[in-house]
Amino acid sequence: EKKKYIWKLLYIYVLGYDVEFGHMEAVALISSTKFSEKQVGYIAASVLLHENLEFVRLVINTMQKDLLSRDENYQCMALTAIANMGGREFAEALSGEVLKLLTSSSTRTVVRKKAALCVLRLFRRNPDIVSVDTFALKLCNLLQERDLGVLLSSMSLLCGVVSHDPQGYEVVIPKVVGVLERVAKGIDIPQDYTYYGIPSPWLHVKALRALHYFPVIENDTVWTKLQEILRRTISSAPIDKNTNKNNALHAILFESISLMMHLNMDSEVLAQCVTLLGKFVSIKEPNIRYLGLENMSRLSLVPEMMSTIKSHQEQIVLSLHDPDISIRRRALDLLYRMCDRDNSHEVVDQLLSYLTTADFAIREELALKIAILSERFASSLKWYIDVIISLIDKAGDHVSDEVWYRVVQIVTNNESLQSHAAANVLRKLQD
């Protein structure tokens, strides 16, 4: 009967009520030899208990026994519960057994997948469970797995570990590039891991992301191979009618572009990326437009790319009138970044024109950007004063006091500007 009542407690919890009793009974069921009772015990413990409860320690021994068991169902249940409940104490007591399951060649693949994600959870709670000297080589072996499930879980583990500290894990870079080559060419990818004809896009993206954590790739052979893969990715970036396929293709593409910027690839390739992003800025799909503008903003930090980005200025200005405010903000940021002495008059005029229809949510930010650009790239004091007077006329209270104080100071100290400024202000008042 105990099993039935624990299920009822779980149902009560799912309905949104706090369940402050029955915890010990759930823990007791974990020690049962019957699969159905052990299963409900593990599920209840995972859902109802947390690492700070005193009696959670009572289940550590049972979990240890289940991890050492030859029954893969018991191993999987224990790993899932450890990942859900595990704190520092769990990490210290059980990480050894979990790591053994992960690295043992005799462990079933379904268990190794769960073990990799369980190690990741324990590592986040206590990074000391792994030693760089030994674990880097173990990760190298895991990244040579043929099973895509184990490989995907291992790549998630690698991302978690190197995001904490990549030092000492440089030996995995050739293996990660090898994984990239495998998925990019579709070598030995089961049908179960093919998404709309794309070989395992999740693994592809994770492998690209893992390389972000390493500042340089010193091995020339590996670097040449990676460049070839990235070039192929951006040169074969079709736009498909199927939304799901498009999302997967664009996830790979944007992650590849991000990695190219991170690794400072040559200007020719980056210019090709800008041209590709320019096409995405004109696409109807708002998510793609947003990502196109965001990546173009990042590429604008590379001085050699500015002239290529400027060629898409007209399309970027049109994005200021997009229904989605996040796209409007991103377009505003990009215009601000790409403004220089050559196009400052044109950009400032476009921003002033946009100011009259801009949302109140971004008017203050827009007014500040116009003031900064007009002062930074002023071709003459007369032009600067005209811009700021127009800004005050259109933005009103959204203009900070420091901006118009600055104009008053300039006009006061330059007699030749006073009549021009007064006439301009009179025109604005009459209008």
Side-chain angles (χ1 to χ4, degrees):
E1 291 292 307
K2 191 184 288 186
K3 179 178 68 173
K4 182 174 75 174
Y5 292 121
I6 295 297
W7 279 122
K8 287 184 177 181
L9 284 180
L10 283 170
Y11 181 65
I12 292 168
Y13 178 82
V14 169
L15 289 176
Y17 298 99
D18 291 330
V19 177
E20 303 293 344
F21 60 95
H23 296 176
M24 284 300 294
E25 284 69 18
V27 169
L29 282 178
I30 293 175
S31 304
S32 173
T33 53
K34 288 184 179 179
F35 174 80
S36 59
E37 292 181 354
K38 187 182 282 285
Q39 182 188 40
V40 69
Y42 269 125
I43 292 172
S46 300
V47 172
L48 302 176
L49 307 185
H50 56 81
E51 61 183 272
N52 298 323
L53 291 173
E54 283 291 326
F55 56 83
V56 166
R57 296 172 187 168
L58 300 173
V59 302
I60 289 179
N61 284 338
T62 307
M63 286 179 171
Q64 213 158 20
K65 288 176 186 174
D66 287 338
L67 289 175
L68 297 171
S69 162
R70 292 188 177 182
D71 189 325
E72 66 183 61
N73 293 311
Y74 287 5
Q75 290 173 331
C76 288
M77 286 191 291
L79 288 168
T80 305
I82 293 166
N84 280 315
M85 299 161 59
R88 290 190 70 88
E89 197 167 340
F90 272 71
E92 290 166 9
L94 300 170
S95 58
E97 280 74 18
V98 178
L99 282 166
K100 282 177 189 173
L101 284 177
L102 173 61
T103 54
S104 172
S105 57
S106 61
T107 308
R108 295 285 296 273
T109 54
V110 66
V111 178
R112 296 182 77 189
K113 286 192 291 185
K114 288 182 179 288
L117 298 176
C118 187
V119 171
L120 176 57
R121 159 71 173 176
L122 296 177
F123 176 82
R124 285 171 176 163
R125 302 299 295 163
N126 182 9
D128 297 331
I129 65 168
V130 296
S131 166
V132 179
D133 302 333
T134 56
F135 195 60
L137 294 174
K138 289 176 181 176
L139 278 174
C140 284
N141 293 330
L142 287 168
L143 294 176
Q144 295 180 86
E145 276 290 329
R146 304 316 300 168
D147 184 87
L148 261 286
V150 177
L151 191 53
L152 188 57
S153 300
S154 300
M155 195 62 76
S156 298
L157 174 58
L158 173 65
C159 288
V161 171
V162 295
S163 66
H164 180 262
D165 183 7
Q167 195 170 357
Y169 289 97
E170 291 81 5
V171 292
V172 305
I173 293 176
K175 307 300 179 188
V176 175
V177 174
V179 172
L180 265 180
E181 187 177 30
R182 179 182 168 188
V183 291
K185 294 181 177 178
I187 301 168
D188 193 18
I189 306 293
Q191 189 60 37
D192 290 349
Y193 288 90
T194 302
Y195 183 75
Y196 287 91
I198 306 165
S200 193
W202 314 277
L203 181 57
H204 200 148
V205 168
K206 281 183 185 291
L208 290 166
R209 193 164 296 167
L211 293 171
H212 274 78
Y213 297 108
F214 299 99
V216 289
I217 296 175
E218 295 174 351
N219 187 314
D220 291 338
T221 308
V222 174
W223 174 237
T224 305
K225 189 186 289 186
L226 177 60
Q227 280 185 308
E228 183 191 333
I229 293 166
L230 294 174
R231 285 173 192 272
R232 197 185 308 124
T233 301
I234 62 166
S235 61
S236 59
I239 297 172
D240 199 271
K241 291 182 180 179
N242 187 297
T243 306
N244 294 320
K245 186 173 182 178
N246 257 343
N247 289 339
L249 287 169
H250 292 143
I252 294 168
L253 180 67
F254 286 124
E255 203 67 48
S256 298
I257 292 172
S258 181
L259 182 60
M260 288 175 186
M261 288 186 279
H262 171 72
L263 296 173
N264 292 321
M265 287 186 72
D266 59 81
S267 300
E268 184 189 340
V269 177
L270 293 178
Q272 197 177 343
C273 291
V274 174
T275 305
L276 196 58
L277 291 171
K279 293 178 183 176
F280 290 139
V281 171
S282 59
I283 288 176
K284 289 183 179 180
E285 173 60 40
N287 293 330
I288 302 302
R289 273 208 313 282
Y290 178 87
L291 288 169
L293 289 166
E294 183 182 42
N295 281 278
M296 211 179 268
S297 291
R298 294 178 63 192
L299 277 166
S300 67
L301 298 173
V302 182
E304 296 84 0
M305 292 300 102
M306 196 53 73
S307 58
T308 316
I309 292 173
K310 281 181 186 176
S311 64
H312 302 283
Q313 184 172 321
E314 187 179 340
Q315 194 59 49
I316 296 164
V317 171
L318 286 175
S319 297
L320 286 172
H321 305 283
D322 194 275
D324 190 329
I325 190 168
S326 60
I327 291 176
R328 295 199 295 272
R329 282 185 185 278
R330 193 53 64 199
L332 175 60
D333 287 342
L334 180 53
L335 279 172
Y336 177 74
R337 286 187 181 186
M338 63 190 279
C339 185
D340 57 20
R341 294 201 178 278
D342 297 332
N343 65 351
S344 57
H345 285 222
E346 188 181 353
V347 170
V348 169
D349 287 346
Q350 286 166 338
L351 293 179
L352 279 171
S353 174
Y354 171 58
L355 187 59
T356 54
T357 57
D359 286 1
F360 283 98
I362 63 171
R363 278 198 180 186
E364 190 171 345
E365 180 189 356
L366 178 56
L368 181 62
K369 280 180 163 57
I370 292 170
I372 292 170
L373 292 176
S374 57
E375 184 167 352
R376 186 183 296 167
F377 302 114
S379 54
S380 66
L381 286 175
K382 188 178 286 188
W383 178 78
Y384 172 68
I385 287 165
D386 288 346
V387 169
I388 299 301
I389 290 172
S390 295
L391 178 63
I392 294 169
D393 176 45
K394 292 179 178 181
D397 292 338
H398 295 288
V399 181
S400 64
D401 292 345
E402 289 83 358
V403 173
W404 66 265
Y405 284 164
R406 174 87 173 126
V407 176
V408 170
Q409 187 182 29
I410 291 171
V411 173
T412 304
N413 295 331
N414 291 270
E415 287 187 20
S416 59
L417 296 171
Q418 289 173 3
S419 58
H420 174 78
N424 197 340
V425 169
L426 178 62
R427 265 198 315 277
K428 299 291 182 189
L429 290 170
Q430 287 173 337
D431 292 343

